[in-house]
Amino acid sequence: MTLLSDQAYRRIDRELAKFPAEQRISATMAALAIAQEEKGWLSTETIEDVAKYLGVPPIAVQEVATFYNMFDTKPVGTFKISVCTNLPCALRDGEKAGEYLKKKLGIGYGETTADGRFSLVEGECMGACGDAPVLIVNNRRMCVQMSDERLEALLGELNTTAGDAS
Ligand code: FES
């Protein structure tokens, strides 16, 4: 039994084509990203399915999935907001932005709102330290200079968006 759609496997095939045939493991990150995009998060079954498709040991895929914080091995909300809390951001209102979001959403880091809409996590440096506070929505949409006003506008926008608007 396969867990992903045909379209997802075709996308993985395109990633595999970028590497030599004996290096299928090199497509692991791309394949996991595709799987997560489709399933919302990476269950053990999904990770095993990706490993089987790539023809690599499941533990190798599991290690990648659990090492990088852009991969979610537990269910997350429709919108996962990762706030950079590394030092340069922390020194420039990064913590304040995190506190603002915690208060507004009524959740802490690592938690999801009861309606399943928002998850809040601490993120690592996103390479935009000069534009702190920085956050990223669903691993794809980078938001910079997140003052209280901009955070409010972002939440307002996401609250009126049906699905993944990242
Ligand atoms: S420390 Fe936050 S983006 Fe670099």
Side-chain angles (χ1 to χ4, degrees):
M1 191 182 86
T2 55
L3 293 179
L4 303 179
S5 66
D6 284 349
Q7 188 191 18
Y9 292 119
R10 295 301 76 77
R11 287 178 65 197
I12 294 173
D13 287 343
R14 286 200 289 277
E15 296 300 326
L16 281 165
K18 297 175 184 173
F19 303 101
E22 70 280 10
Q23 284 297 325
R24 292 175 69 87
I25 199 166
S26 300
T28 300
M29 285 191 69
L32 284 174
I34 291 165
Q36 180 167 284
E37 197 180 312
E38 182 160 294
K39 307 297 274 187
W41 64 288
L42 298 170
S43 66
T44 303
E45 292 74 24
T46 301
I47 289 170
E48 285 173 356
D49 185 71
V50 168
K52 191 172 159 202
Y53 194 75
L54 295 179
V56 302
I59 186 66
V61 180
Q62 178 83 28
E63 283 172 356
V64 173
T66 53
F67 182 79
Y68 293 98
N69 69 358
M70 72 232 205
F71 294 127
D72 301 306
T73 52
K74 287 188 288 192
V76 290
T78 306
F79 300 108
K80 183 180 79 168
I81 301 177
S82 309
V83 182
C84 177
T85 55
N86 283 182
L87 190 58
C89 276
L91 291 173
R92 203 172 157 202
D93 286 345
E95 287 183 10
K96 183 167 164 253
E99 291 308 312
Y100 185 90
L101 287 170
K102 284 184 197 173
K103 197 167 152 209
K104 280 283 169 181
L105 297 173
I107 55 174
Y109 284 128
E111 295 179 348
T112 299
T113 54
D115 62 2
R117 198 152 179 83
F118 293 99
S119 293
L120 193 59
V121 298
E122 287 188 272
E124 301 298 329
C125 178
M126 299 162 193
C129 323
D131 287 321
V134 178
L135 59 83
I136 192 162
V137 181
N138 289 357
N139 303 315
R140 292 197 295 280
R141 174 178 169 184
M142 176 96 86
C143 301
V144 299
Q145 300 178 356
M146 296 309 283
S147 60
D148 290 357
E149 294 71 29
R150 287 169 68 88
L151 289 169
E152 192 64 36
L154 176 68
L155 290 181
E157 179 200 326
L158 297 179
N159 259 321
T160 55
T161 302
D164 181 352
S166 57

